């Protein structure tokens, strides 16, 4: 399983810095009062690296463009161009901002507005360096018109226009791409330096030009070099950050951006369809755009279809996390197997985002299928059967499931051992491991991880599903309550 290398302490320090507005320049918040499908939708930048996710056409680029328009460095038409009489919907578009700019106000935030009236954008935008990396950054060198002059047999660049990359660039690119880029260089094609061609070197020392780079390799080198040469406290905007990248490289790019946010105090906002891009980020750093609403919170990108009703099932079920997902699915599978074909269960990674998404789903007139929400026993959200928000049994889910299953060991211990991929004759050893882990455990969220480690590095998902399945078999009445909540919401819909 892919993992991030960012420390929790780094995340917490940056969260605190954002909360205290400890920056010289920082975009703290924007409110899309009216732009495209959004009305009165706030986006708070509680972390200096922010991901905007959502389905195609959901409004990710709208949010990115709204952020860009906060500053003089970007013209609004870069994102919101008007095409004659064909864009009359732009009438009265407006975006409000809360901005930190210590040069303008040393003690407090300033407020600004960008609006489209009388067929033009009006704004009093402060200065700040903004770097824009659009999807065109991954266009291969041989398809870029400005580099075609370099694709000649007699092409040559003076030595004084060729430069090696600084150590910070080489180290960052090396970590992201997983290769040594010590011999890589940049050639200025024009004296202004606006057009450049990259060169690399093989393991045998043979040189080659950017025309033989991978698109992702080229875009990463250029992007990192530009970020490193930019002023501190710049705003960096990136469209579809995963374009041209392997999943591991995508994680490493986001890790680099977090490190750059800490070291150079830059702020980054990017759009993505990639779960890997979200992995290093805290929940507060992720916003979901869904055509007319914007939610804060981490979720699986695969859930986006369910949020907008784009699933071929009779209902969507939103739960807090992967454990709740396994738990609900196990209850349905064990107690009403036919029902499993009519629903999709989606982990939303937080009770707030699960409830908010569920409420949006059921109040959106464009979505015809219902949704159901299950919150954990320790959630501060309110359960309400009339709104199809149900509470799972117990307090701490991991503890409740774990302890419940151990309490029926005499009857179900053999089944659990087999589900944990052990032989019948290892029943006693498995029980001892479970008891030892429970006695030594200090964080119930890690119970299934620790069991897996003691059982020969068994994946957490396998342990989790084993316990949830045995729980559903051992406690049919409790499992039936979960299934009943689902089936009652689907009356007349299943076939």
């Amino acid at each position: 399983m892919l993992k991030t290398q960012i420390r929790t302490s780094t995340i917490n320090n940056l969260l605190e810095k954002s909360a205290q507005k400890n920056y010289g320049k920082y975009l703290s918040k924007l409110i899309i009062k009216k732009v495209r499908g959004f009305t009165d939708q706030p986006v708070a930048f509680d972390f200096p690296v922010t991901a905007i996710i959502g389905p195609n056409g959901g409004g990710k680029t709208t949010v990115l463009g709204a952020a860009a328009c906060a500053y003089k460095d970007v013209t609004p038409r870069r994102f919101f161009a008007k095409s004659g009489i064909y864009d009359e919907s732009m009438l009265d578009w407006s975006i409000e901002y809360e901005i930190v700019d210590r040069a303008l106000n040393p003690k407090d935030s300033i407020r600004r507005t960008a609006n489209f009236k009388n067929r033009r954008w009006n704004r009093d935008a402060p200065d700040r360096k903004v770097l824009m990396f659009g999807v065109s950054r991954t266009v291969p060198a041989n398809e870029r018109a400005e580099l075609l002059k370099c694709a000649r047999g007699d092409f040559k660049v003076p030595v004084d226009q060729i430069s090696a990359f600084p150590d910070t660039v080489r180290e960052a690119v090396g970590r992201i791409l997983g290769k040594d880029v010590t011999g890589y260089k940049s050639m200025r094609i024009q004296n202004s330096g606006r057009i450049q061609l990259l060169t690399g070197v093989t393991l045998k020392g043979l040189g080659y030009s950017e025309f033989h780079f991978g698109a992702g390799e080229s875009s990463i080198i250029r992007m990192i070099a530009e970020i490193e040469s930019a002023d501190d406290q710049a705003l960096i905007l990136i469209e579809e950050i995963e374009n041209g990248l392997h999943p591991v490289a995508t994680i490493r790019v986001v890790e680099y951006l977090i490190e750059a946010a800490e070291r150079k105090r830059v702020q980054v906002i990017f759009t993505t369809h990639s779960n890997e891009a979200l992995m290093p980020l805290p929940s507060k750093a992720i916003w979901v755009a869904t055509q007319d609403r914007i939610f804060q919170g981490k979720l699986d990108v695969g859930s986006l279809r369910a949020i907008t009703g784009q699933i071929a099932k009779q209902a969507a079920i939103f739960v807090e996390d992967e454990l709740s997902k396994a738990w609900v699915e196990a209850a349905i599978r064990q107690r009403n197997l036919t029902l499993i074909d009519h629903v999709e269960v989606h982990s939303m990674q937080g009770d707030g985002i699960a409830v908010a998404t569920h409420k949006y789903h059921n109040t959106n007139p464009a979505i015809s299928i219902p949704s159901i929400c299950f919150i954990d026993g320790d959630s501060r959200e309110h359960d309400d059967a009339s709104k199809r928000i149900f509470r799972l049994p117990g307090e701490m889910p991991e503890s409740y499931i774990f302890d419940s299953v151990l309490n029926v060991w005499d009857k179900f211990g053999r089944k659990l051992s087999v589900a944990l991929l052990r032989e019948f004759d290892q029943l006693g050893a498995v029980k001892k491991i479970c008891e030892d882990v429970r006695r030594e455990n200090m964080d119930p969220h890690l119970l299934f991880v620790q069991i897996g480690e003691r059982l020969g590095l068994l994946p957490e998902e396998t342990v989790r599903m084993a316990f949830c399945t045995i729980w559903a078999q051992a406690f049919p009445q409790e499992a039936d309550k979960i299934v009943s909540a689902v089936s009652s919401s689907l009356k007349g819909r299943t076939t």
Side-chain angles (χ1 to χ4, degrees):
M1 181 178 178
L2 301 177
K3 293 184 178 181
T4 179
Q5 300 181 52
I6 295 294
R7 295 181 178 181
T8 302
S9 60
T10 299
I11 298 295
N12 290 337
N13 288 340
L14 290 173
L15 283 168
E16 182 178 0
K17 186 180 293 185
S18 300
Q20 295 179 351
K21 301 179 181 178
N22 187 16
Y23 289 92
K25 294 181 183 292
Y26 193 80
L27 177 59
S28 296
K29 183 179 180 179
L30 63 81
I31 302 175
I32 301 178
K33 301 298 292 182
K34 181 184 177 183
V35 175
R36 291 177 178 151
F38 295 123
T39 301
D40 293 325
Q41 293 300 300
V43 179
F45 299 100
D46 298 321
F47 192 74
V49 180
T50 301
I52 312 297
I53 66 175
N56 290 330
K60 298 184 297 296
T61 303
T62 299
V63 178
L64 198 70
C69 290
Y71 295 100
K72 192 182 300 182
D73 211 25
V74 178
T75 59
R77 67 174 176 272
R78 167 63 177 79
F79 289 91
F80 306 117
K82 187 178 190 307
S83 180
I85 63 173
Y86 304 104
D87 284 315
E88 293 189 3
S89 64
M90 292 178 67
L91 181 66
D92 294 329
W93 279 11
S94 178
I95 310 163
E96 295 179 355
Y97 302 98
E98 181 180 326
I99 297 171
V100 173
D101 193 317
R102 298 306 178 207
L104 299 176
N105 190 326
K107 297 182 179 180
D108 200 3
S109 301
I110 60 174
R111 270 72 177 175
R112 292 291 187 270
T113 300
N115 57 60
F116 190 83
K117 290 184 178 181
N118 299 322
R119 299 185 179 182
R120 64 186 297 270
W121 281 97
N122 305 279
R123 56 183 182 149
D124 179 17
D127 290 316
R128 187 183 186 186
K129 180 62 179 176
V130 180
L131 304 183
M132 266 298 312
F133 298 99
V135 292
S136 62
R137 70 185 182 277
T138 56
V139 173
N142 58 8
E143 296 181 20
R144 294 169 58 182
E146 73 272 20
L147 293 180
L148 292 181
K149 66 179 71 175
C150 308
R152 305 193 314 262
D154 60 348
F155 174 75
K156 190 175 182 180
V157 173
V159 175
D160 62 356
Q161 292 184 211
I162 303 174
S163 58
F165 290 108
D167 291 343
T168 52
V169 174
R170 289 190 292 102
E171 291 170 4
V173 171
R175 283 196 303 271
I176 293 168
L177 298 180
K179 62 188 295 185
D180 184 4
V181 293
T182 301
Y184 285 50
K185 297 179 181 180
S186 176
M187 301 187 299
R188 294 201 315 272
I189 308 306
Q190 293 180 333
N191 290 333
S192 65
R194 189 178 66 84
I195 300 177
Q196 298 182 351
L197 182 72
L198 306 179
T199 65
V201 61
T202 67
L203 293 176
K204 294 182 179 181
L206 298 176
Y208 61 96
S209 75
E210 190 176 354
F211 289 104
H212 302 283
F213 282 28
E217 179 182 23
S218 174
S219 68
I220 284 300
I221 295 173
R222 288 176 175 275
M223 184 168 71
I224 300 303
E226 192 169 345
I227 291 173
E228 288 300 323
S229 63
D231 297 337
D232 288 0
Q233 315 231 30
L235 174 61
I236 300 164
L237 306 175
I238 307 171
E239 292 184 288
E240 298 186 19
I241 196 169
E242 73 276 13
N243 260 16
L245 297 179
H246 183 276
V248 174
T250 300
I251 296 173
R252 299 294 174 253
V253 170
V254 179
E255 290 174 341
Y256 161 76
L257 294 172
I258 294 173
E259 184 273 332
E262 184 176 44
R263 174 170 50 86
K264 291 174 64 69
R265 301 170 75 85
V266 297
Q267 182 176 6
V268 184
I269 306 170
F270 66 83
T271 65
T272 186
H273 295 100
S274 166
N275 275 323
E276 286 76 22
L278 308 182
M279 194 174 296
L281 297 174
S283 185
K284 284 188 173 183
I286 300 166
W287 288 84
V288 186
T290 61
Q291 296 181 335
D292 62 347
R293 290 284 301 278
I294 306 174
F295 304 98
Q296 185 179 37
K298 182 177 286 191
L299 52 75
D300 189 289
V301 172
S303 302
L304 296 174
R305 290 166 44 254
I307 292 174
T308 54
Q310 301 172 19
I311 61 173
K313 301 287 184 177
Q314 275 71 50
I317 302 175
F318 299 115
V319 298
E320 288 191 30
D321 54 27
E322 288 299 320
L323 172 62
S324 300
K325 181 177 186 292
W327 193 1
V328 170
E329 287 178 339
I332 296 173
R333 192 176 295 110
Q334 295 300 314
R335 304 302 301 165
N336 189 342
L337 185 58
T338 59
L339 190 61
I340 201 72
D341 293 328
H342 300 284
V343 299
E344 278 190 7
V345 186
H346 296 275
S347 166
M348 307 305 289
Q349 301 192 30
D351 56 349
I353 184 68
V355 172
T357 303
H358 163 71
K359 289 180 178 178
Y360 165 78
H361 187 282
N362 281 332
T363 56
N364 188 338
I367 299 175
S368 59
I369 64 170
S371 73
I372 304 147
C373 181
F374 285 99
I375 55 177
D376 292 348
D378 57 355
S379 171
R380 294 183 180 181
E381 298 286 340
H382 298 291
D383 54 301
D384 187 339
S386 67
K387 297 179 180 178
R388 295 200 291 268
I389 303 174
F390 304 96
R391 190 174 296 273
L392 292 168
E395 289 295 328
M396 176 70 72
E398 288 85 355
S399 297
Y400 172 76
I401 296 172
F402 191 94
D403 293 339
S404 296
V405 171
L406 284 193
N407 286 337
V408 293
W409 183 270
D410 290 344
K411 186 175 181 180
F412 289 91
R414 288 184 181 276
K415 285 188 175 182
L416 179 63
S417 297
V418 172
L420 293 172
L421 309 184
R422 289 296 179 269
E423 300 288 347
F424 281 122
D425 59 5
Q426 296 181 348
L427 178 68
V430 173
K431 182 179 182 183
K432 185 176 187 308
I433 287 174
C434 290
E435 292 173 338
D436 289 347
V437 166
R438 190 67 177 106
R439 182 176 59 254
E440 300 167 8
N441 174 265
M442 297 179 65
D443 181 358
H445 293 102
L446 299 177
L447 279 170
F448 299 135
V449 174
Q450 293 168 347
I451 290 292
E453 291 174 348
R454 299 284 186 94
L455 289 172
L457 301 181
L458 202 62
E460 179 187 2
E461 306 89 88
T462 303
V463 179
R464 180 196 299 141
M465 183 53 68
F467 272 86
C468 288
T469 299
I470 299 303
W471 178 89
Q473 294 175 2
F475 302 95
Q477 292 182 335
E478 290 294 322
D480 282 343
K481 291 180 182 178
I482 296 175
V483 176
S484 176
V486 176
S487 58
S488 64
S489 300
L490 290 178
K491 284 184 179 179
R493 288 181 173 268
T494 57
T495 56

